[in-house]
Amino acid sequence: MLIAHLPAGYLLARRIAPRLAAAPADARRLMAVGLAGSVFPDIDLVIFYLADGRQTLHHDYWTHIPAFWPAAMLAAAGLLWLARAKVPWRAFLVFLAGIFLHLALDTPAGGILWGWPVSLHRFLLVDIPTRFDWWVWNFVLHWSFLAELAVCAWAAREFRAIGRFRDLKRALQARMVGAERESIE
Ligand SMILES: [Zn+2]
């Protein structure tokens, strides 16, 4: 997946963050954590381009290995517990949800090692043929890219719907304030 990770992360985070949050401000924080998780695995592109000379398959870095993440979270929780610090379980959970959404969305066209370390089988649904020199065009000009556009459209629709709801709320509040003033005068 190329462009729909963040929109998909938004759709997921706005469904789970308010349910896990203890307060509205906490929901916004968890929302940001979920969004970060939904794009974080692609941080390996920095290593891919700058340090590794494009030698390793992008999805073979540890950031795209599913088994790594629960282990890393438990290790982080263990370290915090040893340091007698509070373990932010809710944030961990939302971040992990974002990560696993990313990996699930990378699976159909990119392939993910879901069985590692037991198996090196790459789970893949659609093999994208190499037709262009720049790999990005192979994905953009493949029919599977339509699914990415659909996710983006879905997220944009929900985002705009929230904007309209906020406008309506503001208009109602302004009208109520106006009515209050009129009754006082
Ligand atoms: Zn990825």
Side-chain angles (χ1 to χ4, degrees):
M1 180 162 275
L2 280 181
I3 59 165
H5 282 304
L6 196 64
Y10 169 76
L11 289 168
L12 177 72
R14 74 175 291 253
R15 279 165 176 77
I16 58 173
R19 287 188 171 87
L20 287 171
D26 196 32
R28 279 195 290 275
R29 190 178 61 85
L30 288 179
M31 183 96 194
V33 170
L35 285 173
S38 72
V39 291
F40 191 82
D42 281 346
I43 202 167
D44 58 18
L45 283 169
V46 178
I47 305 167
F48 181 71
Y49 280 111
L50 298 182
D52 194 33
R54 300 194 227 175
Q55 293 302 304
T56 310
L57 266 175
H58 159 52
H59 285 175
D60 284 355
Y61 289 108
W62 58 266
T63 51
H64 278 87
I65 302 293
F68 167 79
W69 288 103
M73 290 278 160
L74 285 176
L79 286 174
L80 286 169
W81 181 75
L82 284 173
R84 295 177 192 273
K86 197 175 170 222
V87 179
W89 285 113
R90 289 190 180 96
F92 275 18
L93 217 60
V94 176
F95 190 73
L96 209 58
I99 293 279
F100 273 88
L101 174 70
H102 183 111
L103 300 179
L105 293 174
D106 268 353
T107 302
I112 291 291
L113 301 169
W114 284 97
W116 190 91
V118 178
S119 152
L120 288 177
H121 176 71
R122 190 178 302 282
F123 288 82
L124 178 76
L125 294 180
V126 189
D127 208 2
I128 309 272
T130 307
R131 291 185 293 152
F132 303 95
D133 287 340
W134 193 36
W135 64 272
V136 172
W137 288 124
N138 295 322
F139 284 84
V140 172
L141 298 174
H142 189 263
W143 61 264
S144 60
F145 195 68
L146 291 173
E148 298 209 32
L149 294 177
V151 172
C152 293
W154 181 12
R157 198 160 167 259
E158 288 205 3
F159 192 70
R160 283 188 61 205
I162 288 175
R164 280 201 299 272
F165 173 71
R166 282 193 186 134
D167 288 347
L168 184 71
K169 207 169 137 191
R170 266 190 224 118
L172 281 171
Q173 279 170 344
R175 194 176 285 178
M176 280 165 69
V177 170
E180 256 174 49
R181 270 199 203 127
E182 270 175 27
S183 68
I184 293 166
E185 283 162 10

